[in-house]
Amino acid sequence: MEARIRARVNLALTFFALLFFVAGSSPPRQFVISNAERRIDLSSHIINVHLTLKVENAGTRSASEVVLALTPTEVDHLAMVDASAIKGKRKKTTSVRLEVKPTELPDAPPIDTKYFTIYLANPLNSGESTTLEVLYVFTHFLEPFPAEIAQSESQLVFYHDTALILSPYHIKQQTTFIKTPSTKVESFIRMEPTNRVGTEIKYGPYEDRPPYSISPIHVHFENNSPFAVVEELVQEIEISHWGNIQVTEHYKLIHAGARHKGVFSRVDYQSRQSSNGASSFRYLLARLPPRVHSVYYRDEIGNISSSHLRTDSLKSELQIEPRYPLFGGWKATFVIGYGLPLQDFLFESSDDKRYLNFTFGCPLIGMVVDKLTIKVVLPEGSTDPSPVVPFPVEHHLEAKYSSLDVVGRTVVVLEKKNFVPMHNSHFQVYYSFKPIFMLAEPLMLASAFFMLFVACVAYIHIDLSIRK
Amino acid sequence: MAPPAKAITSPVPDAWYPTLAVFMLAIGLVLTASFFIYEATSSKRNRSLAKELTTGGGFGSLFLLLSAGVYV
């Protein structure tokens, strides 16, 4: 898988490098990027790329759409793209979030490039310039090399990229900074001017590059940060109008770094902790809402007692330790469940509907989730469910039969692939509910007792004797 | 954003669940007991059965379930 990524990236980049000469014949774009600065943070297995673009309108008409280009391999691994406009001078800067959408540009030369359009808040007039900040988040983009390591070895990974920023616009000046987690860098391809100071490699500044110009580079460095990936997370949020929200999460966790080869020696692992199992991880931290109760952590064998819960008024932190430390390629499956008070999450909206306001995502911090499924189980008698999520997700409805259910509960299922932790994104699920339906449950129980007594009365009245 | 939305809580405060469970079950048990005693002793039946049955056991068992943590 990793070798295939490398081959594909190399193929794609050399293909574009050849088209570099054809780029001169592309239709002239309106914008010109006067300064581009890219900071690539490689400290963890989630790669954050901060791109600061100073875009100038060199055409005659005003325009409000700026196009970003990415190679198809990058788009496969792209988890999130975010753009904001920076206004103001040095000390006082404000940023305004902008909308970014994927687009197609059929007339642009390298046919395989994928594009995203940033919609500016105000159209940029001819001669004006604006500063944009773009954040890309890539997952599964670091290739472990060697692909298999023993317990005492450190994990080395490859990062493939281009020294020149791929863009459909002419870039007057650009610089790229790559930050590695430690100073141990095995090799990196130079493209002058290149400079390496401590943990930072600086490519540039490069002057006056035409559109679609790239230059493939790679960095081979040590990265021992925990490559914890949740392959599948199913989170079930059950709402009860009697005052409780019960959350149950099923995790399938895997260590997605260099695979572990050879034996696992517990003696070596415990005695030489500094040099042994450097890329393995033991502890996972989950951030839960405050006022959480009845937290449990178990798997198929039973309860796992190696966990700690620390609560305060703003958040609760659950630190869990799986039954064994995770080395490359090892998996762990477990269930975390907890209860939350209803009044923190369920609210009344203006048009007489109720809505659940909950955080979207995985409570475990620093994780990539390959497939995230959130199921919101609405109480019996709820109608008209509609989810509101800040980014595109797939959703459908299901039915669930739980305790004291006659017609079944509606379940709103939201699915997202390639999820990374983002700042505080909440989602809402709206539904209508008539409070009188809450009476159905005690009446059901009361009628059960009633039937019992009626049966007693009937038994006493029925005369089963043969003889008078 | 709109003014802070009104939070929805249970119609009965949660802190009362165990107390309500105990009292309603006690009432329910007393009524059940008197019903069976009545059945066993008199030979003619009355219609007073219907009233007592709907309230006694049902609500008590609901609050018992809720206070035990089975939020139905």
Side-chain angles (χ1 to χ4, degrees):
Chain A
M1 175 66 188
E2 291 77 44
R4 210 155 42 98
I5 294 177
R6 198 155 62 120
R8 276 184 69 191
V9 169
N10 275 340
L11 184 63
L13 291 179
T14 42
F15 173 63
F16 295 142
L18 290 173
L19 281 165
F20 159 77
F21 299 104
V22 186
S25 64
S26 65
R29 301 263 165 213
Q30 258 197 300
F31 289 110
V32 162
I33 296 179
S34 43
N35 189 14
E37 189 183 292
R38 184 169 55 157
R39 289 187 181 268
I40 304 174
D41 186 9
L42 298 177
S43 352
S44 81
H45 65 300
I46 303 173
I47 300 175
N48 291 326
V49 178
H50 294 268
L51 189 56
T52 309
L53 299 170
K54 191 145 182 274
V55 181
E56 196 183 300
N57 189 346
T60 47
R61 295 170 292 135
S62 68
S64 59
E65 290 179 10
V66 179
V67 175
L68 300 168
L70 286 174
T71 62
T73 329
E74 282 181 330
V75 169
D76 282 344
H77 297 275
L78 183 71
M80 186 170 90
V81 56
D82 216 24
S84 50
I86 305 289
K87 295 186 198 309
K89 301 290 180 184
R90 282 184 180 277
K91 287 292 164 72
K92 291 186 285 180
T93 52
T94 53
S95 64
V96 177
R97 253 190 104 202
L98 301 172
E99 210 186 322
V100 182
K101 283 209 182 117
T103 44
E104 303 276 323
L105 286 180
D107 57 338
I111 317 159
D112 259 359
T113 323
K114 304 283 182 208
Y115 299 94
F116 284 89
T117 308
I118 305 176
Y119 296 91
L120 299 172
N122 308 309
L124 199 63
N125 295 319
S126 167
E128 276 184 6
S129 66
T130 179
T131 312
L132 298 176
E133 252 189 34
V134 182
L135 168 68
Y136 293 119
V137 180
F138 295 108
T139 57
H140 299 286
F141 209 53
L142 294 175
E143 184 203 328
F145 188 81
E148 289 189 354
I149 56 171
Q151 189 176 332
S152 51
E153 290 172 19
S154 182
Q155 185 172 261
L156 301 170
V157 294
F158 259 124
Y159 174 65
H160 299 277
D161 200 1
T162 91
L164 299 173
I165 301 170
L166 177 65
S167 172
Y169 307 119
H170 183 106
I171 304 182
K172 285 195 190 151
Q173 192 187 56
Q174 55 178 301
T175 322
T176 301
F177 296 92
I178 298 184
K179 184 171 178 293
T180 54
S182 70
T183 51
K184 189 155 180 275
V185 176
E186 290 285 310
S187 69
F188 62 99
I189 291 185
R190 302 184 78 94
M191 188 184 151
E192 297 311 327
T194 308
N195 197 12
R196 186 177 150 221
V197 176
T199 57
E200 198 174 79
I201 306 175
K202 180 179 172 186
Y203 283 91
Y206 302 111
E207 311 270 342
D208 270 327
R209 298 290 166 153
Y212 299 107
S213 54
I214 57 163
S215 149
I217 54 152
H218 73 230
V219 182
H220 192 203
F221 62 102
E222 176 190 78
N223 189 340
N224 280 325
S225 68
F227 274 47
V229 169
V230 177
E231 281 184 322
E232 200 180 324
L233 166 57
V234 178
Q235 186 184 49
E236 193 178 287
I237 304 168
E238 189 167 321
I239 304 173
S240 162
H241 284 135
W242 292 104
N244 187 44
I245 292 184
Q246 186 67 27
V247 183
T248 317
E249 294 159 357
H250 297 262
Y251 289 90
K252 285 200 177 96
L253 184 70
I254 185 175
H255 184 299
R259 297 184 72 86
H260 178 245
K261 74 171 178 210
V263 297
F264 170 58
S265 162
R266 177 65 76 166
V267 172
D268 283 345
Y269 179 70
Q270 281 185 311
S271 56
R272 279 172 249 154
Q273 274 173 11
S274 52
S275 60
N276 235 277
S279 63
S280 66
F281 57 90
R282 266 177 82 176
Y283 299 101
L284 302 166
L285 193 61
R287 199 153 278 147
L288 303 176
R291 292 173 289 277
V292 69
H293 64 85
S294 315
V295 185
Y296 60 86
Y297 168 46
R298 57 174 79 123
D299 68 0
E300 284 180 359
I301 300 169
N303 181 51
I304 307 176
S305 56
S306 50
S307 59
H308 299 274
L309 179 68
R310 295 173 195 101
T311 57
D312 66 31
S313 58
L314 293 172
K315 64 179 183 327
S316 313
E317 275 185 4
L318 174 68
Q319 186 192 51
I320 57 173
E321 190 186 332
R323 295 185 192 272
Y324 42 86
L326 279 146
F327 281 79
W330 292 15
K331 298 186 187 185
T333 316
F334 51 87
V335 176
I336 294 180
Y338 48 96
L340 298 163
L342 185 69
Q343 58 260 29
D344 285 350
F345 298 96
L346 198 67
F347 302 99
E348 218 173 84
S349 76
S350 44
D351 54 351
D352 243 6
K353 281 187 137 188
R354 300 175 171 213
Y355 67 96
L356 171 80
N357 187 33
F358 208 77
T359 317
F360 191 96
C362 178
L364 288 178
I365 58 177
M367 301 263 159
V368 174
V369 185
D370 284 344
K371 183 165 181 246
L372 174 61
T373 309
I374 296 188
K375 298 186 180 181
V376 180
V377 181
L378 303 172
E380 227 191 358
S382 313
T383 50
D384 261 354
S386 63
V388 171
V389 191
F391 35 78
V393 293
E394 286 176 20
H395 63 95
H396 63 271
L397 297 177
E398 269 177 15
K400 184 185 170 198
Y401 293 92
S402 182
S403 43
L404 293 186
D405 276 352
V406 179
V407 292
R409 303 183 185 212
T410 323
V411 182
V412 178
V413 183
L414 308 168
E415 283 178 11
K416 177 140 177 64
K417 292 215 173 12
N418 208 0
F419 176 81
V420 286
M422 0 183 156
H423 29 247
N424 268 349
S425 51
H426 292 258
F427 73 101
Q428 291 86 31
V429 176
Y430 287 83
Y431 63 97
S432 315
F433 184 79
K434 291 199 190 59
I436 199 77
F437 277 125
M438 275 181 82
L439 210 54
E441 283 152 0
L443 286 179
M444 218 186 301
L445 287 167
S447 62
F449 279 94
F450 183 70
M451 291 301 148
L452 173 69
F453 293 140
V454 164
C456 290
V457 170
Y459 172 71
I460 287 175
H461 273 258
I462 289 173
D463 192 9
L464 290 171
S465 60
I466 299 169
R467 196 160 34 125
K468 258 281 190 7
Chain B
M1 267 292 284
K6 179 171 155 283
I8 296 177
T9 59
S10 157
V12 176
D14 333 13
W16 293 8
Y17 283 160
T19 324
L20 276 174
V22 168
F23 278 122
M24 291 203 171
L25 279 177
I27 295 171
L29 280 169
V30 165
L31 293 173
T32 313
S34 60
F35 163 72
F36 278 114
I37 290 168
Y38 185 64
E39 288 279 328
T41 53
S42 65
S43 54
K44 283 261 180 74
R45 300 288 161 259
N46 272 8
R47 275 183 298 107
S48 74
L49 314 165
K51 333 196 272 283
E52 70 180 65
L53 300 174
T54 50
T55 52
F59 283 81
S61 53
L62 172 78
F63 286 115
L64 175 68
L65 281 171
L66 290 175
S67 58
V70 182
Y71 278 88
V72 297

